[in-house]
Amino acid sequence: MKNTKKITIIVLAVFIIGGITLLSGFGSSETVNIVGSTSVQPVAEKLAETYEETHSDININVQGGGSSVGIKSAQDGTADIGTSSKDLKDDEKEGLTEYNIGQDGIVIAVNNKNTITDLSKEQLKDIFSGKITNWNEVGGPDGEIHLVTREAGSGTLDAFESIVMGKDTKIKSDAIAQSSTEAVKQSVKQDENAIGFVSFAHMTDDVKSISVGGVSPSSETIADGSYELQRPFLFLVKGTPTGELKEFIDWVNSSEAQKVLDEEKIIKSTN
């Protein structure tokens, strides 16, 4: 009887120790949090999904919030990686390591029924500032132009303002501000007189892209720089990455990750 009890105790001990070991294994996965640009978000999600397929020891969470949120989250360490779809200002760069994962075009989108096919940067500036208010002023149909823009803190907005509007000209105050590329596309899709700007990476045929200064947005024209409306997609890390975070960042710069970026229409510059 005593021997039976001893065997039972030993068996129970083995199960308990094994259970503790198993549970500790469940909790050993490292989590990487990525926060920021809603334009970069779908690309980051695809990169994370692909990486996790061969790296079961890491969980990568991706959230939006805007480029400003991404920069601040990287600066204060609340995110392992902040994402931005705009170049950083000098005062934003302090303490951060930047990784440019590729270039994205900013596409000028109009409704599919709009007959306009090309606008100059100066015309775009005049349209979005409210100086030009009717499509017939730029060779289009008679109709009041409805402006669709992005919310404050958007990297797409910041890049558009920098490239098109310049330092001294503001987008008209009554322009409809949307929180994402998808929301801009929906607004333009539903309004024949609307115009907005969206990410090339997420452009679809439910709205119409137009050329700027005679140059159409494409992988080739973004890569060689001939299409001027473009901006970087950035991963931002506080200090120097180590451990699993460094391994993921290194992988993002690999040929395997480049296949993902190509599929997502993120362009590697050739100029």
Side-chain angles (χ1 to χ4, degrees):
M1 182 68 71
K2 288 182 179 180
N3 287 338
T4 303
K5 285 183 179 180
K6 285 182 180 179
I7 292 171
T8 302
I9 290 169
I10 291 169
V11 171
L12 286 171
V14 169
F15 274 117
I16 291 168
I17 293 169
I20 292 171
T21 303
L22 186 60
L23 287 172
S24 66
F26 283 142
S28 64
S29 293
E30 185 167 334
T31 298
V32 170
N33 292 309
I34 302 177
V35 178
S37 166
T38 58
S39 295
V40 181
Q41 183 179 358
V43 181
E45 287 173 343
K46 189 64 178 179
L47 288 168
E49 177 186 326
T50 305
Y51 187 75
E52 287 177 335
E53 288 175 358
T54 54
H55 296 76
S56 59
D57 56 344
I58 189 170
N59 295 312
I60 304 175
N61 299 322
V62 183
Q63 299 176 47
S67 292
S68 294
V69 172
I71 295 166
K72 186 177 185 306
S73 297
Q75 288 171 334
D76 60 25
T78 55
D80 300 292
I81 298 173
T83 60
S84 174
S85 53
K86 71 180 187 74
D87 284 311
L88 271 60
K89 300 172 184 175
D90 288 341
D91 62 343
E92 294 174 326
K93 294 182 178 183
E94 188 174 351
L96 297 181
T97 303
E98 298 179 42
Y99 299 90
N100 186 331
I101 65 172
Q103 296 295 117
D104 178 48
I106 299 174
V107 178
I108 304 303
V110 297
N111 188 275
N112 280 323
K113 293 182 180 179
N114 196 320
T115 57
I116 289 290
T117 58
D118 179 79
L119 291 169
S120 68
K121 278 175 61 178
E122 193 63 31
Q123 286 174 319
L124 284 173
K125 182 177 181 179
D126 289 344
I127 287 171
F128 277 89
S129 66
K131 187 175 179 180
I132 292 175
T133 59
N134 195 298
W135 284 112
N136 61 18
E137 297 178 65
V138 288
D142 181 22
E144 181 184 1
I145 298 173
H146 299 155
L147 304 177
V148 185
T149 184
R150 288 292 305 278
E151 83 290 2
S154 159
T156 311
L157 172 63
D158 187 272
F160 179 84
E161 288 179 327
S162 175
I163 298 167
V164 175
M165 306 304 292
K167 293 182 179 179
D168 302 321
T169 308
K170 303 297 182 184
I171 292 176
K172 197 177 177 187
S173 60
D174 63 355
I176 298 169
Q178 297 288 10
S179 61
S180 68
T181 280
E182 290 304 318
V184 172
K185 285 197 297 183
Q186 285 302 311
S187 291
V188 174
K189 177 183 176 180
Q190 295 166 12
D191 183 351
E192 290 185 27
N193 289 316
I195 184 172
F197 45 89
V198 301
S199 167
F200 175 77
H202 311 302
M203 184 64 183
T204 50
D205 59 9
D206 49 353
V207 292
K208 173 183 168 182
S209 68
I210 62 172
S211 58
V212 178
V215 181
S216 298
S218 69
S219 297
E220 292 74 24
T221 59
I222 294 169
D224 65 21
S226 58
Y227 184 75
E228 294 184 60
L229 274 63
Q230 57 175 281
R231 42 58 186 287
F233 272 9
L234 302 175
F235 275 11
L236 309 169
V237 177
K238 186 175 183 178
T240 303
T242 58
E244 292 286 354
L245 178 58
K246 183 181 185 303
E247 289 184 23
F248 174 64
I249 291 287
D250 288 345
W251 177 84
V252 168
N253 291 311
S254 72
S255 57
E256 184 182 356
Q258 187 59 52
K259 292 176 184 178
V260 176
L261 295 171
D262 289 344
E263 290 171 359
E264 295 298 306
K265 297 195 292 186
I266 306 304
I267 314 302
K268 188 173 182 179
S269 177
T270 60
N271 67 345

